[in-house]
Amino acid sequence: MRKAVLLGWDGVPPNLVFDDLAEVMPNLSQLTTHSNYGALRSTKPPITIPAWMCMATGCDPGQLGLYGFRHREPGNYKDVWIPDSNKIEPKKLWDFVGEKHGKVIVIGMPPSYPPPKVNGCLVSGFLAPGTDKTYTYPESLMEEIEDIVGEYSLDVFYRTEEKEELYTNLIDMVKKRHKLTKYLMKEKPWDLFVLMEVGSDRLHHGFWRFYDKEHHKYEPGNEYESKFVDFYKLLDEQLGELLEIMPDDTLFVLTSDHGAKGRKGAFCINQWLEKKGLLSLKKQPTEPQSLEDLDIDWKNTKAWGWGGYYSRIFVNVEGYEERGTVPPHEYERFRTNLAKKLLKIKGPNGEDWKNIVDKPEDIYEECIGDYPDLMVYFDDLCWRGSSSMGHESMYFYGSATGPDDAVHDWDGIYVTRFPGQTEAARKSQDILDIAPTILEFMGLETKDYMTGQAIRRQ
C-alpha cells in the first residue's frame, strides 16, 4: 500500500495563500512549483460540517444527510441535534485503509467524536466536548499527548473582543497540534496520515477585518494586520517541517473545506416571511428573540427559516409537520413560488443581491435525513441568514453570538504533490475529487457512489 498525507487548513481561500501571501509562505510557494494546485470548490453548503466528511467519504451532503451543523428532529419544529461521529455512515478514507490492514493516524477531522475505533490512532476534532472526556483512540493516547504537549487544545473561543487572548490561544493551539503531529508522524506506523488544523478558520472569524482592506470595519495601520500575516507564516513553517519528515514516496494533499470573505451583515429571514404573510406569531417580541423563544402561531404559518451561513427554509406541510398548513398537493407549487420570491430579495439600500436558491433534490445525488425544502444563500454568501425576530429592520450588522468578521466562501484550496513530480499545474477541482485521488494513489478501490474524479499527476 502506498502512503498518503492529507493536511487540512480549515477555511482558506485560494487568492489569500497562492497570491496575496505567497511571498511570506515560501514553503507553500515552493510546493506549488511542482504540484497540481488551485481552487477547490466546496460543498453546498460550504460549511465545515458537512464539507470535511464529504471530502473524506466522497459523498455529497445529501448522500450523508448532513446539511450543516444543526439538524431537525423529523416533524418537530424546535428540537435539534448536532452530528457526531456516529452519524457518519459511509466509510471514510481511514476506514478504507484500515480494512486493508493499512495503518492510519487521524487528527482533528470533524466530526470525529466520540472517537471511533481505527486501525491506528485518532484524535477527535473541535466538536469534542473537552479533554476531560475520552477524545482519542486508543484512550491511552490521551496520556501520551499530555506527555508530549501538556494540555492539548481542541479549539479556541473565537467570537470575542479579547483579541490578544484569542491570538495567544490560537498560536498555542496550532503549535501544540503540530508538535503532536510531528511526533506521531515520526514515532507511529502509518500509511495514511490525516491532520485538520481549524486555527485558520478561527483566525478569519476573529481577525478578518484587520487584514481585508475591503472589509467595512478595516482600519489602516491597525495592530493586528501583521499578526494575521504572522499566523500564516507559522502555518507555512509547520508545513515545511512536515514536508521534511514525510517519506519521498508519499502523496501529499493539502486542502481546505471552504473559503472565507468579509461578513456584511445578517438578513432576518423569518421577519421577511412574516411580512409576506407566510409566518404568523401569537405574540410579537419586544426585543430580538431566537427562533426557539418565539411564540409562533403554527396553524397560520406556511414556512419558516433557520439562520447561519445560509438559510434553510422549511414548508409547514400537512401530514408531515405537527400542525401543517400546506396541503401536500400544493407543496411543489408553493415551494417554487417561494423560491422565486427569495431570489428577488434585495439589500438594505435596494441594491440587487446575487441570491442563490436551491431545491436539495436538484443538487444532490440523493437526499437522506431531514433536508430543508429550500436552501438560500443571500448575496452569494456575503450576508448570513438570521432566524431571530424582533429587530428594527430585516437587516442588522451585529451578531447574536458575538463578534464575527468573516463568512464562508465557495472555494477553498488544494495542492497535490505526487512522488517525483517536478511540473506544476494550476486549475480548479471539486471537493469530491479528493477521496478518489487518495484511494486511487494508495491502490484502493473507489466506490460507484463517489462522483468525484481522481486528480492525477500532470
Side-chain angles (χ1 to χ4, degrees), residues 124-136:
S124 296
F126 68 92
L127 289 173
T131 53
D132 58 334
K133 309 293 183 183
T134 300
Y135 69 99
T136 66

Side-chain angles (χ1 to χ4, degrees), residues 121-152:
C121 304
L122 183 140
V123 181
S124 296
F126 68 92
L127 289 173
T131 53
D132 58 334
K133 309 293 183 183
T134 300
Y135 69 99
T136 66
Y137 178 86
E139 186 174 356
S140 59
L141 182 60
M142 291 172 60
E143 188 173 338
E144 199 171 348
I145 291 174
E146 189 170 344
D147 291 340
I148 299 161
V149 303
E151 186 177 354
Y152 185 71

Side-chain angles (χ1 to χ4, degrees), residues 51-125:
W52 284 114
M53 279 299 116
C54 290
M55 192 186 303
T57 62
C59 297
D60 69 25
Q63 291 170 304
L64 293 179
L66 297 179
Y67 307 95
F69 272 93
R70 298 179 303 153
H71 292 78
R72 291 182 63 204
E73 292 292 348
N76 188 298
Y77 291 116
K78 294 191 176 181
D79 288 349
V80 300
W81 55 271
I82 307 293
D84 62 21
S85 61
N86 294 320
K87 294 290 187 180
I88 314 299
E89 294 187 3
K91 292 177 183 174
K92 281 74 70 181
L93 287 167
W94 41 95
D95 298 323
F96 287 108
V97 174
E99 70 181 11
K100 295 297 183 182
H101 310 293
K103 287 289 187 179
V104 303
I105 296 177
V106 182
I107 304 173
M109 287 293 278
S112 52
Y113 181 87
K117 182 179 180 180
V118 297
N119 189 31
C121 304
L122 183 140
V123 181
S124 296

Side-chain angles (χ1 to χ4, degrees), residues 73 82 182 283 379 444:
E73 292 292 348
I82 307 293
K182 285 175 273 190
K283 181 181 179 182
D379 198 19
L444 301 173

